[in-house]
């Protein structure tokens, strides 16, 4: 039986490996459409406009907010980040499962608007490994790393808002764990409304002996 598409939110501390995990998840499985966010932060070396993000000016971002073009947006460590509405709605309508890799404030807004969204939080095996990955990536200054670690400490207070945590220790294991959780989530009654509705209608007919 074909699944109905679900909206999947993936959050986690900066440097935990979200970008790396998402890349592998969509490479290994055809089931997912990965949303590309808009941001006002500068591209890191190796990032391309339209691939990791749509890199836009603050003015252009504020115009998108005014036009209602974003499903959600948030300010994170001094920059705007937001999810374009068109992509999400188009792919959900096609029955695809859409992944948003976004931070906590955005995740909470999505939960309000899409109550059946599945919220996953990626954790490091321990805080030292997080610091090691964030510095090892070599793309941020010491000041930005400090801001991001402080933000991680704040975000850690709200992890209970999420449906599942996944630990990114071994990358491949974590990708498969995420996929398993998502596959299982497809089978919860709130995400099978159409199927349940149809069976109920069929039962009504059969129970009355009308067939
Ligand atoms: P995020 O998108 O969460 O900020 P990244 O995907 O950029 O994090 O990963 C941060 C750094 O950690 C990168 O250098 C990446 O190669 C590394 N990394 C990601 N996952 C793992 C893992 N499971 N084990 C070791 N290093 C990892
Ligand atoms: P980075 O600068 O490391 O790429 O991203 C910083 C943070 O912004 C990460 O926690 C990332 O998940 C989050 N983020 C990326 N895109 C969006 C978005 O569209 N909306 C929100 N709310 N957060 C986002």
């Amino acid at each position: 039986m074909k699944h109905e598409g679900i909206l999947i939110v993936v959050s986690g501390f900066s440097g935990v490996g979200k970008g790396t995990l998402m890349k592998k998840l969509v490479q290994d499985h055809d089931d997912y459409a990965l949303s590309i966010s808009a941001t006002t932060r500068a591209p890191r070396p190796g990032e391309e406009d339209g691939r990791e993000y749509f890199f836009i000016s603050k003015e252009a971002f504020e115009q998108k907010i005014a036009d209602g073009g974003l499903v959600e947006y948030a300010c994170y460590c001094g920059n705007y980040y937001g999810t374009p509405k068109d992509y999400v709605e188009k792919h959900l309508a096609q029955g695809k499962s859409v992944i948003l890799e976004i931070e906590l404030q955005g995740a909470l807004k999505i939960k309000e608007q899409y109550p059946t969204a599945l919220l996953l939080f990626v954790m490091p095996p321990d805080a030292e490994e997080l610091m090691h990955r964030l510095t090892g990536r070599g793309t941020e200054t010491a000041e930005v790393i400090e801001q991001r670690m402080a933000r991680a400490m704040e975000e850690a207070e709200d992890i209970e808002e999420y449906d599942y945590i996944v630990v990114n220790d071994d990358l491949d294991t974590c990708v498969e764990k995420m996929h398993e959780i998502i596959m299982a989530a497809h089978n919860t009654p709130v995400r099978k409304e159409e199927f349940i509705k149809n069976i109920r209608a069929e039962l009504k007919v059969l129970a009355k002996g009308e067939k």
Side-chain angles (χ1 to χ4, degrees):
M1 184 181 41
K2 205 179 169 307
H3 293 307
E4 290 166 33
I6 58 179
L7 189 55
I8 303 149
V9 170
V10 177
S11 302
F13 312 128
S14 183
V16 74
K18 301 179 295 299
T20 314
L21 286 165
M22 291 308 99
K23 215 182 220 174
K24 182 142 179 58
L25 184 70
V26 297
Q27 254 170 25
D28 292 359
H29 302 278
D30 295 332
D31 321 52
Y32 304 113
L34 182 60
S35 163
I36 303 169
S37 297
T39 183
T40 58
R41 90 150 159 73
R44 294 178 184 136
E47 285 184 335
E48 260 178 45
D49 186 42
R51 192 179 64 192
E52 280 80 11
Y53 283 105
F54 295 107
F55 296 99
I56 62 176
S57 67
K58 187 162 177 272
E59 291 68 32
F61 198 101
E62 285 172 347
Q63 192 58 52
K64 273 191 188 296
I65 300 174
D67 294 344
L70 301 173
V71 190
E72 63 72 37
Y73 68 93
C75 199
Y76 175 94
C77 295
N79 285 300
Y80 278 130
Y81 294 81
T83 306
K85 195 180 249 168
D86 297 358
Y87 183 91
V88 173
E89 296 197 335
K90 184 178 129 200
H91 286 84
L92 283 179
Q94 288 172 358
K96 276 257 177 189
S97 287
V98 177
I99 305 183
L100 311 181
E101 191 247 277
I102 63 176
E103 52 68 71
L104 172 77
Q105 303 167 71
L108 298 181
K109 287 185 209 152
I110 292 293
K111 199 171 160 177
E112 264 174 40
Q113 289 177 65
Y114 300 86
T116 62
L118 176 69
L119 272 60
L120 308 180
F121 196 92
V122 183
M123 297 275 259
D126 55 55
E128 201 172 319
E129 173 64 14
L130 177 70
M131 185 77 176
H132 180 70
R133 285 186 196 167
L134 192 51
T135 46
R137 187 168 66 192
T139 49
E140 272 86 15
T141 61
E143 192 194 343
V144 171
I145 289 174
E146 205 172 294
Q147 279 175 14
R148 285 175 175 241
M149 286 301 285
R151 189 64 176 241
M153 215 169 69
E154 289 169 16
E155 289 184 333
E157 292 305 311
D158 287 309
I159 294 173
E160 287 86 352
E161 297 286 346
Y162 288 77
D163 297 310
Y164 290 92
I165 58 170
V166 281
V167 179
N168 181 20
D169 193 350
D170 174 66
L171 186 82
D172 292 353
T173 309
C174 187
V175 167
E176 284 320 300
K177 193 82 217 164
M178 288 180 111
H179 182 63
E180 275 170 26
I181 291 172
I182 297 164
M183 287 299 112
H186 276 290
N187 297 309
T188 51
V190 289
R191 301 188 181 97
K192 281 266 179 274
E193 278 184 341
E194 198 58 32
F195 178 60
I196 295 170
K197 201 176 85 191
N198 291 342
I199 293 276
R200 281 186 180 140
E202 288 170 21
L203 280 171
K204 228 176 221 171
V205 173
L206 282 184
K208 283 184 192 153
E210 287 175 12
K211 224 172 182 180

